[in-house]
């Protein structure tokens, strides 16, 4: 008899926003935007200290504020819109992980994923992100997974290469409890 780990994952607005924030802070473009925002704010402050042109001070201040807040506001608004329009977020996804594959189902639709199809798994602090490619991922909410979160990741560690599974098991156990 094959061991199977079964759980449901419900995507909430908070989980989707957490996923998007994770990506902003883990890619070059997102980090560069925040570095530029900090640079612009520092230049604005230096402009005030050294009594530079008011136009320069205002321009750098606006750039800093814009590049700091716009991505956050844009993500939150996009998340709200996605939660309302994407049908897949309205019902929980059911996962059944076994030795040979993971079966993902929702309603009457089902997809089988061989372990070889898994690109990587990351833990964001409240979600597990199951990447199927560099641009396609399933978000697994640890709260809805409950006690199945830790055994699922342990199974992933057995089936995947070490560099594919980046999960702090202590933090995962705390989040799942």
């Amino acid at each position: 008899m094959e061991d199977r780990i079964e759980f449901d994952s419900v995507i909430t607005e908070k989980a989707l926003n957490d996923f998007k924030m994770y990506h902003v802070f883990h890619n070059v473009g997102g980090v560069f935007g925040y570095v530029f925002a900090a640079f612009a704010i520092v230049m604005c402050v230096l402009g005030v200290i050294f009594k530079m042109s008011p136009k320069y001070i205002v321009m750098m201040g606006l750039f800093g504020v814009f590049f700091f807040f716009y991505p956050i506001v844009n993500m939150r608004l996009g998340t709200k819109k996605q939660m309302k329009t994407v049908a897949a977020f309205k019902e929980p996804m059911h996962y059944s992980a076994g030795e040979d594959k993971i079966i993902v189902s929702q309603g009457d639709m089902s997809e089988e994923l061989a372990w070889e199809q898994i690109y990587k798994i990351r833990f964001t602090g409240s979600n597990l992100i199951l990447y199927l490619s560099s641009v396609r991922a399933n978000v697994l909410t640890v709260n809805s997974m409950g006690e199945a979160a830790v055994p699922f990741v342990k199974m992933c560690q057995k089936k995947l290469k070490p560099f594919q599974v980046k999960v702090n098991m202590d933090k995962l156990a705390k989040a799942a409890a």
Side-chain angles (χ1 to χ4, degrees), residues 43-44 47-48 51-62:
M43 294 307 292
C44 176
V48 170
K51 298 180 180 12
M52 297 178 99
S53 164
K55 290 178 185 177
Y56 176 81
I57 294 168
V58 170
M59 178 183 72
M60 294 310 282
L62 288 175

Side-chain angles (χ1 to χ4, degrees), residues 13-174:
E13 190 173 317
K14 181 186 178 312
L16 186 58
N17 203 45
D18 179 56
F19 169 72
K20 288 182 175 198
M21 288 298 285
Y22 177 84
H23 276 278
V24 164
F25 290 109
H26 287 86
N27 74 44
V28 176
V31 172
F32 178 76
Y34 283 98
V35 168
F36 181 74
F39 172 77
I41 291 170
V42 167
M43 294 307 292
C44 176
V45 170
L46 288 174
V48 170
I49 291 171
F50 293 111
K51 298 180 180 12
M52 297 178 99
S53 164
K55 290 178 185 177
Y56 176 81
I57 294 168
V58 170
M59 178 183 72
M60 294 310 282
L62 288 175
F63 278 157
V65 169
F66 178 79
F67 279 95
F68 184 79
F69 288 109
Y70 177 75
I72 295 170
V73 171
N74 188 42
M75 262 188 290
R76 294 233 167 118
L77 293 174
T79 298
K80 286 183 183 297
K81 183 178 178 182
Q82 274 186 296
M83 290 302 293
K84 290 177 184 175
T85 59
V86 177
F89 296 147
K90 300 201 186 315
E91 292 181 41
M93 301 275 281
H94 182 75
Y95 291 81
S96 179
E99 293 297 319
D100 57 339
K101 62 189 168 193
I102 300 173
I103 301 169
V104 182
S105 58
Q106 185 178 42
D108 59 350
M109 295 184 348
S110 181
E111 178 181 17
E112 293 183 0
L113 302 171
W115 285 104
E116 296 79 34
Q117 290 178 275
I118 307 298
Y119 179 67
K120 64 183 175 179
I121 296 177
R122 298 290 184 259
F123 178 58
T124 67
S126 59
N127 299 320
L128 285 168
I129 305 173
L130 182 74
Y131 289 93
L132 304 175
S133 71
S134 60
V135 294
R136 184 175 170 221
N138 288 12
V139 179
L140 310 175
T141 54
V142 174
N143 283 347
S144 61
M145 291 174 74
E147 295 176 1
V150 172
F152 175 71
V153 171
K154 286 183 179 178
M155 181 181 279
C156 292
Q157 289 173 329
K158 290 179 192 173
K159 294 296 189 179
L160 302 171
K161 294 177 178 91
F163 69 88
Q164 290 178 292
V165 182
K166 297 290 184 192
V167 176
N168 183 321
M169 293 302 286
D170 295 331
K171 289 182 180 179
L172 177 64
K174 286 179 185 176

